[in-house]
Every structure is written in C-alpha cells, then in structure tokens.
Amino acid sequence: MLKLFDKVRAGIEKPSAVPNAVITNRISRLNVSSLKNISPDEAFIVSIQHLQADPLEGRFLLSGRSDGSILLHQIKNISPSLTYQCKRLWKCGKHDKEGHRYSVECIRWFPNDTGLFVSAAFDKRLKIWDTSSMRCVETISYEGKIYNFDLSPAKRSDNCSVAVCCDKGIVSVFDIKSGTNVHTLKHHVGDVLACNWSPLDEHILCTGGADNKVLLWDTRSAKNCLMSLNRSNSIQITISNPCVNNFTAHSGSVNSVKFVKNGLKLISCGTDNVIRLWDTLSGKNELVDYDDFVNHTKRSVHVDISRETTPEFIYVPSGDTVNVYNVATGELVNKLKGHFNSVNCCFYEPFQCELYSGCIDGLIMVWRDESTEVVAF
Amino acid sequence: MSKRKVDDNSSSSPLKKKTSHSSTAENQNEILPEVSINDTEAALNFIKQTLADKKRKDSFPAVIFVHQLYDVVNNKTIVNRQLETLRNEKKIVLIHMGSDENMKVAVFLKDLKDHVLQYRNVGEALLYNKFFDRVLTNTTDYGISRNDLLIKFKFSEKDVRAMVNAGLLILRETGIFWFSFPSAGIFMRKIIKGRQALMNLIRKRKFREILQIELEKIPMRKQLELPIRYHIHDLVGGNFVKCFQTSSGRLLQSIR
C-alpha cells in the first residue's frame, strides 16, 4: 500500500489506483458479517431465488422468494451505531392481489433510477412495479414459465428492453417504453435458463439453455443468432447457417451466463460442474480452468462480478458455498462458507463492497470485511 | 499358522531392506519436482517415459490422459492452452474416450504413425499415410464427418472401412466418426482394472491413505498391466485420490 502511494506521487500509477487497491484488499477478506444482518421473518423456510440491490446508491435490497413473495429491505446503515439490523420496508405476498402466484425467479431494478423494478415468476407473468406507490403498473403474460430475464444497460437513458427467457426455447425481447414484445428469438431447444446483455453493445445478448448451448444474439438482425459457442474450439461454421451446427458449450445445461471485462469476455456455468470463459468477439474458448465448482441446480443460478478492482473477481454459488475466482487466471481466491444449503444467487454491492447471497435455507447472508471497522472505533 | 509365518516374514523383509531402498526412494523423489515445470510437452514426454519403462509389447501406442498432466503441471489452464497449441502445431492428436467429458487422451502424432505402420497391415501403409498426412493434419476436432472423408479427402467406402478396422476411426453417430487409436478398448480395460485394484488397496489401508513410495514398492504385477507410476498419475490427476505433501514424500488419500 505504501509502495503504491509512492508510485502515485511519482506519477507511475494513476490516482485512481488507490481506491482500486483498497477495494481489492477489502474484497479479498470477505467474511460473514457480525455487525449487519437480515433476519428471516417467516417461521417456515422459504428459499431465496434472486436478490438485487438498487444500482444508484445501494440502499434497497429486493429479494424474490420461492413462495411468490417479494421483499424490500433497507440495507444501508445510516445510523451512527456499528451494528445494524436490516429493516423490512415492504412485502408483497402470494395472497396479495397484485402479487405473483408461484416462485419469483428473477427480480431486477431499472438500471437508471430507483423508480421502477421488474419481477418475473413461474406463474408466466412479468410484472413492472412503481416504487413511489409500490404498486404493480403493468403485467405481461407469457406462454411459458419465465426462468430469467435481463434489462439492457440502456446507454440512451429512455430506451430499455427486457430479454425474457421462457421454457420451450423462446426468448422474447420486451420494450418497456412501448409496452410490447418487439422480438422473439428462437433457436434454443428446451428451457432457456440464463441471459445477459452485453455492457459493450446494447444490442448484443447472450443466452444459455438446457440444450447445453450458449448463443450470442444481435437483436437488430432478424435472421438468426450470431454464433453458438463451441467448447472444443474447432473451426466455427460461419454464421450464414448456424442452424446446421450442433456445437455445445457445456455437457450439461447452462444455467448462468455473465459478461465480464466490460463485455469483452463471457463466463458461462453449466450443470457439468464446469465454468468456461469465452472470448466474445471470436467466440473462442479461453480454456481457463476454474477449480472446485459444484452446480446441480436445474433452475438458473445468478453469479455476479466485482466492480473497480484490478484483477476482476467473479462470485459463483457452488453448492453451499460461494466461490470467488479470479476471472483471468481461474484461481480460487476465496471460498465463502456459511450457508447450510445450496446457494441460489449472489449479488455484489459496489458502494459498500459487500456481497449478498441468497440460499434455499431462506437466509440472506451479508459478506463484508469488518477487520478495519472494528479497529477504527 | 504357516501362512501367518509367511506374512510375518514378508512384513519384516521390507523393514530390513529399508536402508537399501531409502537411497532409491530419494532418487525417485528427486524426479518429481524436476518436471513440475510449466511445459506441457515435457510433461507429456515424462509420462510417456513411464509407459516405456517396462519392456513390454503393447498393442496400443503410448497414450497419455489429459488429466494425468494435471498431476505433473500444477496449473490446469496452462495445460489446456498448451495442449491446444500443440494440437494446432500438429504435434499431438487429442482423442475422446467415450462420452465422458474428462476422458480425453493425448498421443503424439509421430508415435501413432510409427505404431500403426509398424504393427498394422503393411499392405495398406499408403492409405494410412494418406490419413495421417492429410486428415489428421488438417482437422482440429475430435472427429470428422463421413461426407468430409468421402468428398473433401477423397477416400472410398472401402478405405473408410479399412481405417475403422485398423482402429483409427470409430463410429460415433450416423455419419460422424471420432478419431481413435488401435486397441483403445484393451487400453481402457487395463487402465480401469488397474485403477480399481489400486483404489481397493488404498481404501483397505488404515485411514484410507498410503505413502506413494510405499505404494510403489507393493508387488502388484498381476493386477497392474501398466506401470504403477502411470496409474498413480491417473489417480491423482483424475481426482480419485487426494494428495498431500509430507516430509517423507507424497501421501495419497482416497476420496469418500
């Protein structure tokens, strides 16, 4: 650290390297938080399917549960005391008029502000919620169960499209502004379990399905997918007729995909207990080996990446632990042990450098580095 | 009683011999760190040597499991990438064994060529040469389709059949062949048999663990048809046993 200060003073490193180094240092020492916790408020166990904190200031945490309820917690500690019990601000249960009937599989904030969030569930409905009145403002019905969806990062602030992954191989693109389905992407056979928009180009979408395939799409082209990723790196059959190829990315169903390194690379996790790193432009397998990964979930698994750290880290739920890998080298940096059952999702909250993970046992765990805080007071 | 006596004798004899063996054991220990370098080609050659140690006539060429390399080279990513470059340089051929993703075998193209030309039907040497020079050096995949063989490489149906008979191609799906090597079945039978024998031996030990040096001394000629070093690389690399470094060499512990 002192060396780094010297380097910054001498002009060898940029000043931005200091916060980077501090964040990296903090992240590498994540542990179960003893000061902050989110208590489960039900007497019975309800599995957490997905959770996400709001992208603006990391103050509100949304979580979707397998009984169809959606919960909103305040996670930012604004009181002077160190210990903090996260308050539940709002709940929409199964028996509420506007709520989901079955398991809420995915829930996401609108990327630009906290005025909106979107949720999807196994009751074949996608709901858009207004946070000022906490009401559902729009319900869209689909033909199949919804496993996952993703909101495009929307560089032009008003245009946000939602890619919705349904069963029977259908991915439909929904435009929030006009409130209609604008596109249906059909190539997968079987359930589509994962999708992610590229942060590099707002029209590039990646999907992964139960047919072991990872497909890259350009939503502007009406024809077909851009490419199907091939694990054995043999020559790509050109895009003119990708239907012919039966390249598979994994030997088990793909239940998580995520763009890393600003969209230049792509990570996919499969039920064959393998994580693969791909080059997005060429579609080549980077052949990085991520050790000690277990994945048996038939539904989608939500992974997350760290922000503003010098080696990029990825948080992957693996059995009852959360594994932290170095994206570039595949080195297992940390293994977060604490859950009692298999972990479904994790979310990295960049403002306070915390990790939230949701599990089948109904607990949301907070992982943070508290060694510095205790010393400071 | 007599049996017991024999047992006692056999158990005491290694103790007596220990002093003489210790020097060789040290030598063996020295070999291992020497090869733990980040060069996959060297690792391939190292494991190949263990196969060539015994003076046997095998009906299959010197093949190396990809997971055996993970035992020698510490970083799996490096192994995967270097194997890919070696394959692109046409030095090695990667072969899938069965539908299991992890059962991949690497063989030097030169070894495969020499073996086939030496032991197989000499009358078809021309055909085999054509196969090696044109097909294996022009594809970077685990298999090839029948159409490609017939149209792109201009083989006849009869040629394809001859190559299947020689064990160079194996029918995977309709119209798709996978590359293979002669007597792949015999090789797999030997490796699985040896693997089971060793695993049974380790499981019956106290705490399910054994020192590698001790394991290498146990006479298992009958159960193991391949050299024991080759099997140990297979067990450790294939995650059948856990491996701990101790002051007296590596300790192997069976998982589960």
Side-chain angles (χ1 to χ4, degrees), chain A residues 231-234 276 286-289 291, chain B residues 76-77 80-81 84 87 101 140-142:
Chain A
R231 62 192 149 157
S232 64
N233 260 358
S234 61
R276 287 206 164 88
E286 294 278 307
L287 298 167
V288 178
D289 184 86
D291 214 4
Chain B
K76 289 187 187 178
T77 309
N80 292 345
R81 287 190 174 159
E84 198 68 21
R87 183 156 84 156
E101 175 74 4
T140 51
D141 208 343
Y142 294 104

Side-chain angles (χ1 to χ4, degrees), chain B residues 19-215:
Chain B
T19 45
S20 63
H21 263 284
S22 60
S23 61
T24 55
E26 273 170 16
N27 283 338
Q28 283 166 355
N29 266 351
E30 275 167 15
I31 299 169
L32 279 173
E34 211 176 289
V35 287
S36 63
I37 39 167
N38 295 332
D39 186 3
T40 310
E41 200 176 348
L44 276 169
N45 276 319
F46 174 72
I47 298 174
K48 201 180 113 186
Q49 267 179 15
T50 62
L51 260 186
D53 270 352
K54 267 186 181 175
K55 289 215 160 56
R56 290 169 293 112
K57 210 173 134 190
D58 280 330
S59 52
F60 48 86
V63 289
I64 300 107
F65 274 110
V66 172
H67 64 243
Q68 283 177 320
L69 297 170
Y70 297 155
D71 179 28
V72 181
V73 183
N74 285 330
N75 195 331
K76 289 187 187 178
T77 309
I78 285 178
V79 173
N80 292 345
R81 287 190 174 159
Q82 288 186 345
L83 278 180
E84 198 68 21
T85 51
L86 282 176
R87 183 156 84 156
N88 289 338
E89 286 166 8
K90 321 294 178 206
K91 278 186 181 167
I92 60 163
V93 187
L94 285 181
I95 292 167
H96 249 303
M97 304 291 293
S99 55
D100 191 357
E101 175 74 4
N102 300 324
M103 295 287 248
K104 258 184 274 177
V105 145
V107 57
F108 283 102
L109 186 60
K110 196 174 156 288
D111 287 352
L112 186 63
K113 204 171 169 179
D114 289 350
H115 181 88
V116 171
L117 294 181
Q118 199 177 341
Y119 292 106
R120 294 287 148 175
N121 193 352
V122 189
E124 281 163 342
L126 212 68
L127 173 66
Y128 296 144
N129 268 330
K130 186 183 166 191
F131 177 76
F132 287 123
D133 295 342
R134 294 184 54 191
V135 180
L136 282 186
T137 48
N138 278 324
T139 50
T140 51
D141 208 343
Y142 294 104
I144 192 166
S145 70
R146 186 188 212 95
N147 280 346
D148 275 1
L149 275 178
L150 294 182
I151 297 164
K152 200 172 155 195
F153 296 108
K154 298 203 170 94
F155 283 99
S156 69
E157 279 295 337
K158 202 181 148 199
D159 296 343
V160 174
R161 212 176 301 140
M163 279 179 307
V164 172
N165 283 341
L168 289 171
L169 290 175
I170 198 164
L171 189 64
R172 177 67 192 160
E173 295 160 29
T174 43
I176 292 178
F177 290 102
W178 270 5
F179 300 128
S180 181
F181 57 90
S183 310
I186 293 172
F187 168 72
M188 281 310 285
R189 205 186 62 216
K190 281 183 180 177
I191 194 101
I192 286 168
K193 198 180 156 196
R195 200 184 275 168
Q196 276 174 350
L198 281 179
M199 285 307 288
N200 282 340
L201 193 141
I202 297 175
R203 269 197 210 114
K204 278 173 190 165
R205 283 279 162 151
K206 201 177 182 186
F207 305 123
R208 299 172 159 198
E209 56 192 26
I210 189 168
L211 282 173
Q212 187 182 338
I213 301 167
E214 258 179 75
L215 182 65

